[in-house]
Amino acid sequence: KFNNIGGFGSISNIPSNIKRPKIVACTDGVGTKVEIANLINKYDTIGIDLVAMCVNDLICQGAEPLFFLDYYATGKLDLTTGKEIVSGISSACISSGCALIGGETAEMPGVYQNGDFDLAGFAVGAVERGNSLPKTITEGDCLLALPSSGIHSNGFSLVRKVLEKSELTWHDTAPFCNNRLGDIFLRPTRLYVREILTLLKHNLIKGVAHITGGGLTENIPRILNDNLGGIIDKSSWSINDEFKWLQSVGNIHEDEMFKTFNCGIGMVIVVEQKMVNETLTILNDKKLEAFQIGEITNSGRLIYNGKLV
C-alpha cells in the first residue's frame, strides 16, 4: 500500500475499490489536554486523542482514512514519553484502519520548557465521487447519537479553570467516583471510524457531525443548509458525571455547556425516519450504543427541549 517509508516522503495508492476517488484531508491537535498528561506523567492515551480528532472529522465527509502523519514538538526529547505517545498514535491508527506513515519530532529548547510539548497531526482519506457527505438532508430526518467516552479533547481551558476553583488537583480522587481526576479527564477520545464506515456501506447515512469544540450547538448546523434546524430532546440521554461536576462547580449555564462540551455525545448521525430502526439494529448487533435525540426541522436553528438528566 505504501512505499519509501523512511525517505523524504511516502507514496500511497488509492484503494482499488474506490474507482473515482476524491481526496479528503483533516488536521487537528489535542490542545491544552496535553497539560494534564504532563502534570500526572501519563502519556499513553494522548496519541489516541490526536488520531481521533483527525479521523473522526474525516469520516464526517464519508471518507475512508488512508494514512496519518504526526508532529511532536518538545524542548528536549524524552524517549520514554515519546514512545508512549507514539504507541497511542499507532494503536489508534490500527483501530481506524489507516497507516501511520511518518511524522516529525522537533526539539525546540527555548520554545518548550520543563517537559512541555505539543502534538498535531493530519489524516488523508478517499471517498468515491458522488458518495461524499453530507447528502441532501430534509425536514423530518432523525438525529441519532453515538455516546462519547467522556470530555474527549475540547473545552480543557474551561476544565482547568473549574479545577482551580474546586481547589482540587489532578491527582485527587474525583468527588463523583473513585478514580483520580487526571485519569478521568485523560480518557482518550473515542474512535468512530469503523461504525460509520459500516453504516455507509449500507447506504444509511445522510450526514455526520463530529461533536468537538462548539458542542452540539455549533457542530450539528455545520452539515445543514441555512433553512434547516433541529429539535433536540435533552432528556433522551443521561449526561456523564464529569459534565455534571463541571457544570455544578463552575456554575456553567446550560447553554454554555452545550456550546463548549460534547455533554456525552461524540457523534450525531442524520438518517431518514424509515431507516432509524435498521440503523440502530446494525449498531446494536455490533454491541454499539446509539439512540435518537431529535429530528431535523425547517426552523433554521437548533432548539433544545426537555430537561438535561
Side-chain angles (χ1 to χ4, degrees):
K1 189 176 182 180
F2 300 95
N3 299 305
N4 200 34
I5 293 177
F8 291 98
S10 293
I11 301 170
S12 170
N13 293 323
I14 303 296
S16 58
N17 63 300
I18 302 178
K19 304 302 180 184
R20 296 189 304 152
K22 297 193 78 170
I23 301 300
V24 182
C26 294
T27 186
D28 212 331
V30 182
T32 55
K33 191 173 184 177
V34 299
E35 290 297 315
I36 302 173
N38 253 342
L39 288 169
I40 70 169
N41 195 33
K42 178 178 171 59
Y43 304 99
D44 58 336
T45 61
I46 205 77
I48 300 173
D49 287 297
L50 180 63
V51 176
M53 293 301 290
C54 294
V55 296
N56 286 346
D57 277 353
L58 197 73
I59 199 67
C60 291
Q61 305 295 130
E64 177 184 345
L66 298 178
F67 59 81
F68 183 86
L69 291 97
D70 67 275
Y71 178 80
Y72 171 40
T74 185
K76 181 175 176 58
L77 180 63
D78 181 286
L79 288 178
T80 301
T81 299
K83 286 179 180 179
E84 288 187 31
I85 292 171
V86 173
S87 176
I89 293 172
S90 177
S91 68
C93 284
I94 292 170
S95 296
S96 302
C98 68
L100 175 60
I101 63 172
E104 169 72 3
T105 300
E107 287 189 312
M108 302 170 65
V111 177
Y112 297 96
Q113 298 160 353
N114 300 322
D116 290 343
F117 69 96
D118 198 11
L119 286 173
F122 74 87
V124 173
V127 59
E128 187 74 48
R129 190 178 301 270
N131 288 347
S132 59
L133 297 177
K135 297 179 180 178
T136 302
I137 298 172
T138 59
E139 182 183 11
D141 288 338
C142 293
L143 297 169
L144 305 183
L146 299 178
S148 68
S149 57
I151 199 167
H152 285 181
S153 298
N154 297 102
F156 274 90
S157 294
L158 181 53
V159 170
R160 289 160 65 209
K161 287 183 179 180
V162 172
L163 185 84
E164 183 178 341
K165 183 178 180 180
S166 75
E167 298 184 348
L168 296 171
T169 74
W170 296 114
H171 293 281
D172 289 329
T173 300
F176 48 87
C177 69
N178 293 323
N179 296 322
R180 193 169 54 158
L181 276 168
D183 293 324
I184 293 168
F185 284 98
L186 274 183
R187 280 201 302 258
T189 304
R190 181 176 164 185
L191 295 153
Y192 297 94
V193 171
R194 294 197 182 276
E195 46 258 63
I196 300 298
L197 284 178
T198 297
L199 296 176
L200 286 172
K201 289 177 182 177
H202 287 81
N203 198 30
L204 293 170
I205 298 178
K206 300 180 77 173
V208 181
H210 184 200
I211 311 305
T212 54
L216 290 163
T217 302
E218 295 183 1
N219 283 293
I220 293 176
R222 292 173 66 180
I223 62 174
L224 303 177
N225 293 330
D226 291 340
N227 64 310
L228 293 177
I231 295 177
I232 292 179
D233 179 5
K234 294 181 291 186
S235 65
S236 59
W237 79 98
S238 297
I239 191 169
N240 310 42
D241 287 340
E242 57 263 43
F243 294 109
K244 293 178 182 178
W245 179 77
L246 287 169
Q247 184 178 16
S248 175
V249 175
N251 193 27
I252 304 170
H253 193 276
E254 191 174 276
D255 289 347
E256 187 63 28
M257 289 292 295
F258 281 115
K259 285 180 64 177
T260 304
F261 304 117
N262 66 55
C263 292
I265 294 175
M267 279 278 188
V268 171
I269 305 169
V270 182
V271 300
E272 288 185 66
Q273 174 67 55
K274 64 182 181 181
M275 298 297 185
V276 169
N277 289 338
E278 183 179 353
T279 303
L280 293 176
T281 297
I282 289 172
L283 291 171
N284 291 335
D285 285 347
K286 293 183 175 295
K287 302 189 185 315
L288 298 169
E289 184 183 359
F291 45 89
Q292 184 172 343
I293 61 168
E295 64 178 38
I296 299 297
T297 66
N298 60 3
S299 66
R301 61 195 181 100
L302 205 61
I303 299 171
Y304 294 95
N305 286 337
K307 185 178 179 181
L308 196 62
V309 295

